[in-house]
């Protein structure tokens, strides 16, 4: 969700107003994702590198995250959406942790739709945390290094039990992943747009999804193999 600051500057507004407009855009996109039946929507709301921003901006973002959650929680419960947080949760301010933990508890029984917020998230931290937990379990004898496979290791990531992303959208003109779901993105389609996040509309969101739907994903196989598999599947159906 990049470009809040640049959008604000282009409108003669403050960065805080840019983030506020970003939060409003977020709500519209999450509502659209629910409407479209998308099972998992993940938002990169605060990276593990974002702590290096000025303290007032960091505090403002934490306050905005909690206040937006408070205002919007009833939509999640009404629409059967379960909230998850990925990232180093215990390093967030106590108040932020409490607001998000309460919301996760209140939506824990929902199963059909999932909203995942990446807060204090970075792929490199995620790998370090996973490797540390795995090593501890090997040392304790509850995991065996002989059995290590991607299926096993991925269960130690913050995204355990979540599917890999099909489509990753980045707004505001940068063409990079910036430490976001680097391992989970191995086969994701990537969509980059110059539109800054506050101006990213449900229409453009649908355009990004249409772009994804037009791609043939091969997962390392040949086009012929994919066609063959599709044929076998259609005969089974
Ligand atoms: C990047 O834009 C955006 C962020 C670091 C914060 C993302 C937060 C929101 C969209 C608002 C709240 C979100 C939720 C989930 C309610 P930037 O500030 O780096 O923009 P710039 O690169 O143009 O300066």
């Amino acid at each position: 969700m990049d470009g809040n600051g640049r959008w604000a500057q282009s409108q003669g507004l403050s960065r805080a107003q840019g983030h506020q407009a970003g939060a409003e855009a977020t709500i519209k996109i999450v509502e659209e994702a629910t409407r479209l039946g998308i099972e998992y929507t993940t938002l990169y709301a605060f990276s593990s590198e974002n702590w290096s921003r000025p303290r007032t901006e960091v505090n403002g973002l934490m306050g905005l995250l909690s206040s937006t959650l408070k205002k919007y929680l009833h939509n999640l419960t009404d629409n059967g959406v379960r909230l998850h947080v990925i990232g180093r949760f215990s390093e967030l301010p106590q108040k932020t942790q409490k607001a998000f933990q309460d919301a996760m508890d209140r939506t824990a029984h929902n199963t059909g739709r999932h909203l995942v917020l990446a807060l204090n998230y970075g792929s490199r931290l995620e790998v370090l945390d996973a490797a540390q937990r795995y090593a501890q379990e090997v040392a304790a004898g509850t995991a065996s290094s002989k059995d290590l496979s991607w299926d096993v290791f991925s269960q130690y990531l913050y995204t355990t039990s979540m599917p890999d992303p099909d489509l990753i959208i980045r707004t505001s003109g940068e063409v990079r992943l910036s430490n976001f779901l680097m391992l989970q993105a191995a086969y994701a389609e990537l969509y980059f747009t110059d539109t800054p996040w506050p101006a990213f509309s449900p229409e453009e969101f649908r355009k990004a999804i249409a772009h994804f739907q037009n791609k043939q994903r091969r997962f390392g196989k040949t086009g012929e193999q994919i066609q063959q598999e599709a044929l076998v599947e259609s005969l089974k159906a």
Side-chain angles (χ1 to χ4, degrees):
M1 299 187 289
D2 200 6
N4 294 348
R6 278 164 284 172
W7 177 86
Q9 197 173 29
S10 74
Q11 308 291 310
L13 300 171
S14 66
R15 289 186 65 80
Q17 286 169 309
H19 291 314
Q20 177 62 48
E24 284 156 24
T26 305
I27 289 172
K28 286 197 205 127
I29 298 301
V30 172
E31 280 174 350
E32 185 67 4
T34 307
R35 213 180 58 75
L36 293 173
I38 293 171
E39 253 184 285
Y40 281 83
T41 306
T42 304
L43 302 166
Y44 201 6
F46 193 87
S47 78
S48 47
E49 287 74 36
N50 282 152
W51 298 111
S52 59
R53 294 191 175 208
R55 189 199 281 253
T56 46
E57 182 167 348
V58 169
N59 291 346
L61 275 170
M62 290 298 149
L64 180 62
L65 285 164
S66 301
S67 63
T68 308
L69 180 68
K70 204 167 148 193
K71 230 173 28 198
Y72 187 65
L73 183 58
H74 70 95
N75 286 45
L76 299 184
T77 47
D78 290 355
N79 290 311
V81 180
R82 179 170 180 183
L83 180 75
H84 308 257
V85 174
I86 56 171
R88 274 205 187 155
F89 191 67
S90 62
E91 290 176 357
L92 291 166
Q94 288 293 329
K95 263 170 78 176
T96 313
Q97 284 186 45
K98 188 173 174 345
F100 279 88
Q101 191 58 57
D102 284 352
M104 285 191 282
D105 293 344
R106 283 184 57 186
T107 60
H109 57 279
N110 294 333
T111 52
R113 303 265 191 279
H114 303 263
L115 175 64
V116 186
L117 284 192
L119 291 182
N120 191 20
Y121 176 86
S123 286
R124 290 181 175 177
L125 271 188
E126 179 178 35
V127 173
L128 293 177
D129 284 352
Q132 196 169 42
R133 280 211 302 127
Y134 175 69
Q136 280 164 351
E137 290 193 17
V138 170
T142 50
S144 159
S145 61
K146 277 205 297 254
D147 301 335
L148 190 58
S149 63
W150 179 249
D151 279 351
V152 169
F153 189 71
S154 62
Q155 287 166 26
Y156 293 83
L157 298 174
Y158 303 141
T159 49
T160 179
S161 83
M162 296 175 194
D164 284 345
D166 291 313
L167 169 67
I168 294 184
I169 299 171
R170 180 166 187 160
T171 56
S172 212
E174 311 300 350
V175 183
R176 52 177 180 258
L177 284 178
S178 298
N179 212 7
F180 180 61
L181 299 181
M182 300 287 283
L183 296 172
Q184 297 87 340
Y187 292 100
E189 290 298 329
L190 307 179
Y191 181 89
F192 298 100
T193 170
D194 287 339
T195 308
W197 179 252
F200 189 74
S201 61
E203 292 72 37
E204 190 169 357
F205 183 44
R206 288 199 298 273
K207 201 172 113 192
I209 292 166
H211 166 86
F212 162 76
Q213 286 170 325
N214 286 328
K215 293 277 172 187
Q216 187 189 56
R217 299 167 83 212
R218 295 185 179 165
F219 300 98
K221 298 174 188 169
T222 66
E224 288 73 36
Q225 282 175 298
I226 299 287
Q227 275 168 14
Q228 184 72 26
E229 283 174 8
L231 183 66
V232 170
E233 282 307 310
S234 69
L235 291 174
K236 272 198 229 156

